[in-house]
C-alpha cells in the first residue's frame, strides 16, 4: 500500500513484490538517468520542470487571454490534431464535463468543440460540417512537426470552408500550435499571420500536455488551467525529490510484471467519463516503450460495462499475459439508490445506499474475481479535482520515462510512427 501525504493519488500496488532489494538499483539508475539528463533521448526531457516554468511565463498569460477571445467570438471551435496533439484536451474535457460537453455547451456558455484530424472518416467530416453550418467558428490546429498527413488533410478541408465563409477574416480565425521555427505549419502560420503558440523543441507530442497543445483547447472549454498546472507542479516537485514517489512505484509495478513475463497491461477505469484517460495512457506508454522488440502492450476497459463482455476473457481466457491497473476516480456528485414499491428484492440491501458504493462493489468484485483468475491487479485511486488530474498526468510522464530506462529503451522517439507517416505519404493509393 502506498500512501501519499496529499490526497491526490494513492496507489495500492503489490508492494510485497516491489522491495528495494529486488528493483532498487535498477530503478535508482533509471531515475538518475532521467534527472541527470544522461539517458537516451535526454534532449527531449524539458517537460520535467516545464509546468513550473510555464505557470510563471508571459506566454501562459497570452494563452489565457487568447482562450477568452476565442470563447467570446465563437459558437464552435474545431480542434485539429492527432496522437499527442489531441489526446490531452480530449481527455480533460471528457473527465471534467463527462460525455455531454457539447450538449451542455450553450447552457454552460462554452463553445462546442469538435476534434478532427484524429481520423479520416469522410462521413464524420461531413457530419461536423453540417453541424457547424450557420455557427460562428474558428480552428485550433495542433501539429508539432506540422507535416502529419491526417490532421493536415482534414485541416485543409476545414480551412477551405472557413475561407469561403469569412474571406480574408479567416486568417484571424486560425490558431496554430507547432514548432517555434521548423515545419510547414510554422511557415504557413508566419506567412499568413495566424496567431500561434510554440511547442518547445525539448518536448515531444505525448509529453506536451502542459504546453499550449493541451492548455489552449482546455482553457477554451472553460476549464481552470491554473488548477491543472498546479497539480503538475506538485507532482514535478514530488517526483524529482523522491524516487519512491507514486511515479517511481508505478514504474516498478510495471517493470515487475514485464520481468515476470506478463506482456499485456489492462487499464480498467471505473467510469465512462475517464475512458479517454486510458486512451491517453495507452498512447503515452505504447509509443514510449514499444520498440526494439520490447515493451508492454497496453489496453483498456471500462468497468462495470466491459465486465459483461471481455471481462470473461480477461478473467479466464488465455493465461500469462495480463495484469490489471484499476483506476478508481472519485465521483463529483452523488445519487442515492431509492426505496421503491418494486418486488425486486433489492430494497433491503440497497435502499438509501449511494451509486458510488455500487461502483465500488463492482470494482471490488472484479478485482477479486480477476485475481482468482490469475491476473495481478493493483488500484490507483484518483481524486476528482483538476489538481488531482494534473498531478497524475505529470507523475505518469515520469513513471513512463523511468520504466523505459529500466527496460532499456529510449522513451522519447517513435520510429514506427514516423515510418507510418512516411509510408502514408508515399502510398500508391495516391496514384489511383
Ligand atoms: O507523441 C507523439 O510524438 C505523436 O503521437 C505525435 O503527437 C503525433 O504523431 C502527431 O504528430 P504531430 O504533432 O507532429 O502532428
Amino acid at each position: 500500500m502506498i500512501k501519499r501525504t496529499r490526497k491526490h493519488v494513492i496507489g495500492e500496488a503489490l508492494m510485497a513484490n516491489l522491495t528495494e532489494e529486488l528493483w532498487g538499483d535498477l530503478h535508482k539508475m533509471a531515475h538518475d538517468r532521467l534527472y541527470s539528463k544522461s539517458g537516451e533521448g535526454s534532449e527531449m526531457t524539458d517537460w520535467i520542470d516545464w509546468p513550473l516554468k510555464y505557470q510563471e511565463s508571459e506566454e501562459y498569460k497570452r494563452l489565457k487571454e487568447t482562450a477568452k477571445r476565442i470563447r467570446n467570438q465563437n459558437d464552435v471551435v474545431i480542434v485539429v490534431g492527432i496522437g499527442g496533439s489531441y489526446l490531452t484536451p480530449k481527455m480533460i474535457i471528457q473527465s471534467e464535463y463527462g460525455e455531454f460537453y457539447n450538449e451542455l455547451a450553450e447552457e454552460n456558455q462554452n463553445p462546442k468543440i469538435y476534434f478532427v484530424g484524429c481520423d479520416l472518416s469522410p462521413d464524420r467530416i461531413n457530419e461536423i460540417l453540417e453541424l457547424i453550418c450557420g455557427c460562428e467558428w474558428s480552428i485550433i490546429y495542433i501539429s508539432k512537426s506540422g507535416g502529419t498527413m491526417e490532421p493536415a488533410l482534414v485541416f485543409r478541408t476545414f480551412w477551405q470552408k472557413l475561407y469561403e465563409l469569412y474571406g480574408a477574416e479567416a486568417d484571424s480565425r486560425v490558431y496554430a500550435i507547432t514548432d517555434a521555427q521548423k515545419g510547414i505549419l510554422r511557415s504557413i502560420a508566419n506567412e499568413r499571420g495566424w496567431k500561434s503558440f510554440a511547442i518547445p523543441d525539448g518536448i515531444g507530442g505525448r509529453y506536451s500536455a502542459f504546453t499550449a497543445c493541451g492548455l489552449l483547447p482546455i482553457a477554451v472549454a472553460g476549464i481552470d488551467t491554473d488548477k491543472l498546472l498546479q497539480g503538475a507542479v506538485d507532482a514535478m516537485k514530488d517526483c524529482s525529490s523522491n524516487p519512491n514517489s507514486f511515479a517511481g512505484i508505478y514504474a516498478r509495478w510495471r517493470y515487475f510484471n514485464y520481468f515476470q513475463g506478463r506482456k499485456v497491461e489492462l487499464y480498467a477505469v471505473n467510469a465512462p467519463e475517464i475512458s479517454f484517460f486510458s486512451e491517453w495512457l495507452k498512447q503515452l506508454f505504447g509509443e514510449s516503450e514499444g520498440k526494439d522488440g520490447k515493451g508492454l502492450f497496453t489496453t483498456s476497459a471500462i468497468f462495470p460495462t466491459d465486465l459483461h463482455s471481455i471481462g470473461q476473457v480477461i478473467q479466464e481466457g488465455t493465461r500469462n499475459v495480463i495484469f490489471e491497473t484499476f483506476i478508481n476516480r472519485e465521483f463529483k456528485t452523488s445519487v442515492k439508490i431509492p426505496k421503491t414499491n418494486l418486488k425486486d428484492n433489492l430494497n433491503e440491501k440497497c435502499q438509501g445506499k449511494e451509486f458510488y458504493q455500487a461502483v465500488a462493489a463492482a470494482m471490488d468484485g472484479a478485482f477479486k474475481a480477476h485475481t482468482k483468475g490469475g491476473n495481478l491487479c493493483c488500484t490507483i485511486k484518483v481524486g476528482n479535482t483538476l489538481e488531482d488530474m494534473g498531478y497524475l498526468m505529470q507523475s505518469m510522464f515520469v513513471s513512463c520515462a523511468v520504466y523505459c530506462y529500466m527496460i532499456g529503451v529510449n522513451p522519447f522517439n517513435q520510429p514506427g510512427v514516423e515510418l507510418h507517416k512516411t509510408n502514408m505519404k508515399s502510398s500508391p493509393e495516391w496514384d489511383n
Side-chain angles (χ1 to χ4, degrees):
M1 163 101 58
I2 312 153
K3 283 224 182 280
R4 287 188 29 71
T5 46
R6 282 182 66 171
K7 193 178 145 228
H8 285 329
V9 179
I10 303 169
E12 291 169 20
L14 296 175
M15 286 305 294
N17 295 310
L18 302 175
T19 58
E20 282 295 323
E21 300 81 68
L22 263 177
W23 313 118
D25 287 349
L26 183 62
H27 174 216
K28 193 174 172 312
M29 176 278 295
H31 178 91
D32 291 348
R33 206 163 266 185
L34 176 67
Y35 283 97
S36 63
K37 295 196 177 246
S38 59
E40 249 195 301
S42 62
E43 69 286 358
M44 298 307 288
T45 52
D46 287 356
W47 51 269
I48 288 180
D49 54 1
W50 176 261
L52 185 59
K53 278 191 196 153
Y54 202 58
Q55 201 179 38
E56 292 164 353
S57 70
E58 282 306 308
E59 182 179 294
Y60 182 46
K61 284 189 199 136
R62 181 166 76 87
L63 181 144
K64 289 197 274 187
E65 280 154 20
T66 308
K68 250 188 225 156
R69 213 173 30 249
I70 299 177
R71 287 170 59 76
N72 291 338
Q73 192 187 23
N74 296 287
D75 310 318
V76 169
V77 177
I78 301 293
V79 178
V80 186
I82 195 165
S85 287
Y86 101 104
L87 276 160
T88 295
K90 173 86 186 169
M91 178 272 278
I92 291 292
I93 291 170
Q94 189 205 44
S95 76
E96 275 305 287
Y97 289 97
E99 291 172 73
F100 307 109
Y101 172 84
N102 276 347
E103 284 87 337
L104 297 172
E106 208 176 320
E107 195 176 304
N108 291 332
Q109 295 180 314
N110 287 329
K112 288 187 177 161
I113 297 183
Y114 294 102
F115 290 91
V116 302
C118 41
D119 66 84
L120 289 169
S121 160
D123 295 349
R124 190 162 176 272
I125 292 171
N126 274 325
E127 278 157 17
I128 293 175
L129 283 172
E130 207 166 299
L131 282 169
I132 67 178
C133 195
C135 297
E136 288 287 332
W137 56 282
S138 294
I139 306 177
I140 299 177
Y141 180 12
I142 311 168
S143 176
K144 172 141 196 217
S145 62
T148 308
M149 279 294 258
E150 293 92 335
L153 291 172
V154 178
F155 171 73
R156 59 191 284 126
T157 310
F158 280 84
W159 162 253
Q160 190 54 29
K161 208 27 149 206
L162 195 73
Y163 195 75
E164 278 164 28
L165 278 171
Y166 293 100
E169 195 205 317
D171 285 306
S172 67
R173 288 178 171 268
V174 178
Y175 300 82
I177 302 175
T178 187
D179 191 275
Q181 262 123 34
K182 297 186 293 283
I184 191 77
L185 176 55
R186 172 51 62 196
S187 353
I188 299 175
N190 290 349
E191 179 204 319
R192 299 203 66 95
W194 293 343
K195 283 177 211 69
S196 69
F197 291 88
I199 304 177
D201 271 354
I203 302 184
R206 56 194 174 278
Y207 296 85
S208 67
F210 302 110
T211 70
C213 169
L215 297 179
L216 183 65
I218 291 172
V220 166
I223 294 170
D224 188 340
T225 49
D226 290 351
K227 291 185 177 165
L228 191 70
L229 261 181
Q230 188 52 51
V233 169
D234 292 348
M236 203 190 99
K237 292 177 181 163
D238 284 359
C239 293
S240 62
S241 62
N242 175 17
N244 287 319
S245 65
F246 164 75
I249 298 297
Y250 184 59
R252 281 160 66 175
W253 158 250
R254 299 186 89 244
Y255 182 79
F256 164 72
N257 280 289
Y258 183 69
F259 183 82
Q260 289 216 332
R262 292 176 204 91
K263 297 292 189 269
V264 177
E265 177 177 27
L266 177 87
Y267 293 112
V269 297
N270 69 342
E273 301 85 75
I274 55 164
S275 64
F276 255 83
F277 184 56
S278 313
E279 300 307 312
W280 188 90
L281 288 171
K282 274 150 65 176
Q283 195 238 354
L284 173 65
F285 285 101
E287 260 189 358
S288 299
E289 69 183 297
K291 53 198 75 151
D292 308 333
K294 297 181 187 170
L296 294 159
F297 180 82
T298 43
T299 186
S300 63
I302 305 170
F303 289 174
T305 317
D306 293 322
L307 290 172
H308 299 266
S309 60
I310 55 167
Q312 177 60 40
V313 67
I314 293 168
Q315 187 179 327
E316 293 183 335
T318 306
R319 289 302 76 202
N320 82 19
V321 290
I322 288 183
F323 70 99
E324 297 177 51
T325 301
F326 283 54
I327 301 180
N328 291 352
R329 192 174 77 145
E330 272 177 2
F331 294 94
K332 295 181 188 166
T333 60
S334 62
V335 175
K336 252 196 200 341
I337 299 171
K339 182 177 182 188
T340 71
N341 55 6
L342 300 172
K343 293 196 174 112
D344 60 3
N345 301 323
L346 287 174
N347 273 338
E348 203 183 315
K349 191 170 188 61
C350 307
Q351 67 168 14
K353 299 281 166 30
E354 297 278 347
F355 262 88
Y356 76 79
Q357 292 177 281
V359 174
M363 298 305 275
D364 176 57
F367 193 103
K368 287 180 183 146
H370 295 187
T371 304
K372 188 154 183 269
N375 295 348
L376 282 192
C377 301
C378 86
T379 300
I380 296 174
K381 291 184 183 169
V382 188
N384 63 20
T385 67
L386 281 161
E387 287 94 333
D388 295 325
M389 278 316 280
Y391 188 96
L392 187 58
M393 290 157 69
Q394 180 73 14
S395 299
M396 285 299 184
F397 290 156
V398 174
S399 201
C400 179
V402 168
Y403 158 83
C404 284
Y405 283 148
M406 288 176 85
I407 65 166
V409 300
N410 176 352
F412 307 115
N413 63 359
Q414 54 285 326
V417 177
E418 301 307 332
L419 181 62
H420 151 71
K421 290 186 185 186
T422 314
N423 286 351
M424 185 177 170
K425 278 186 190 146
S426 60
S427 168
E429 290 295 333
W430 295 114
D431 304 330
N432 293 333

